[in-house]
Amino acid sequence: MASADLLLHPVRLRIVQAFLGDRALTTGQLAAELADVPHATLYRQVARLVEAGVLQVVAEQSVRGATERTYVLRTSAAQITADQVATMSRADMRQAFLAFVASLLGDVDRYLARDEIDPIRDQASFRLAGLWLDDDEFATLLRDLLRVLQPAAANPPRAGRKRRILATVLLPGEEASS
């Protein structure tokens, strides 16, 4: 498992997110998607993720005398485990959440910078919901969400499909008064 420090670096987090959805990318393709990231920085951060086992080389080919590698995300290695979260201080948790939110903000900014956007057509949205659930009801909700999301997360890219980013934040609220 990769550490929170490794995964929550702003550029490395964007690299990991670019691979979400079972994608295989070369560094050239990745550079085109992350055009605002300097090439030297991108290559250095890809190397860090490969060294940590988060990205895996699945193909190599010679292109104009250089070796072009194709990478995939090792999803199991790109997660912060419950054990790692349990050892985080409040400051560590705040920093991790800020990296998460900053990443989402970057995604929104990149969407809004496109020439043609239509939030209704694109089904771009964000929402909050307050749910009153006991621990068993909450566990059932999480299992149900996982059951619904797993098949969609396993879809490979193909013509007609758009990669969609789904982000969740689950926080405990106040207890109901009796």
Side-chain angles (χ1 to χ4, degrees):
M1 284 302 141
S3 70
D5 288 341
L6 177 81
L7 293 174
L8 295 175
H9 178 278
V11 174
R12 289 190 293 264
L13 183 57
R14 286 186 60 202
I15 292 168
V16 167
Q17 288 175 330
F19 283 92
L20 293 177
D22 199 28
R23 300 176 80 200
L25 300 169
T26 65
T27 46
Q29 292 167 321
L30 191 57
E33 286 192 26
L34 306 179
D36 59 317
V37 177
H39 285 230
T41 300
L42 183 70
Y43 282 84
R44 186 173 52 253
Q45 300 307 336
V46 165
R48 292 272 317 269
L49 291 167
V50 170
E51 180 182 302
V54 173
L55 294 180
Q56 178 180 354
V57 177
V58 293
E60 291 183 342
Q61 70 179 19
S62 184
V63 178
R64 292 184 299 270
T67 301
E68 179 183 66
R69 292 177 177 88
T70 301
Y71 302 93
V72 295
L73 180 66
R74 291 187 57 241
T75 308
S76 62
Q79 298 177 14
I80 300 169
T81 66
D83 289 342
Q84 291 169 326
V85 171
T87 65
M88 291 174 128
S89 69
R90 290 178 188 202
D92 293 338
M93 193 68 149
R94 183 173 288 112
Q95 182 180 354
F97 187 72
L98 284 173
F100 174 79
V101 170
S103 175
L104 283 178
L105 185 57
D107 289 337
V108 170
D109 284 346
R110 284 182 290 281
Y111 168 71
L112 295 175
R114 294 178 185 174
D115 289 337
E116 299 281 331
I117 68 163
D118 180 345
I120 303 302
R121 177 200 65 218
D122 300 337
Q123 298 178 349
S125 65
F126 43 92
R127 293 180 176 82
L128 286 175
L131 309 172
W132 291 97
L133 305 169
D134 63 30
D135 289 346
D136 290 337
E137 292 167 327
F138 185 61
T140 299
L141 174 67
L142 292 178
R143 276 193 308 276
D144 289 348
L145 284 172
L146 190 60
R147 183 177 39 77
V148 168
L149 294 175
Q150 277 181 329
N155 284 344
R158 68 164 166 77
R161 283 190 174 150
K162 293 179 188 174
R163 190 170 69 111
R164 301 178 191 271
I165 303 298
L166 173 67
T168 59
V169 177
L170 297 169
L171 297 171
E174 69 281 354
E175 297 264 339
S177 54
S178 302

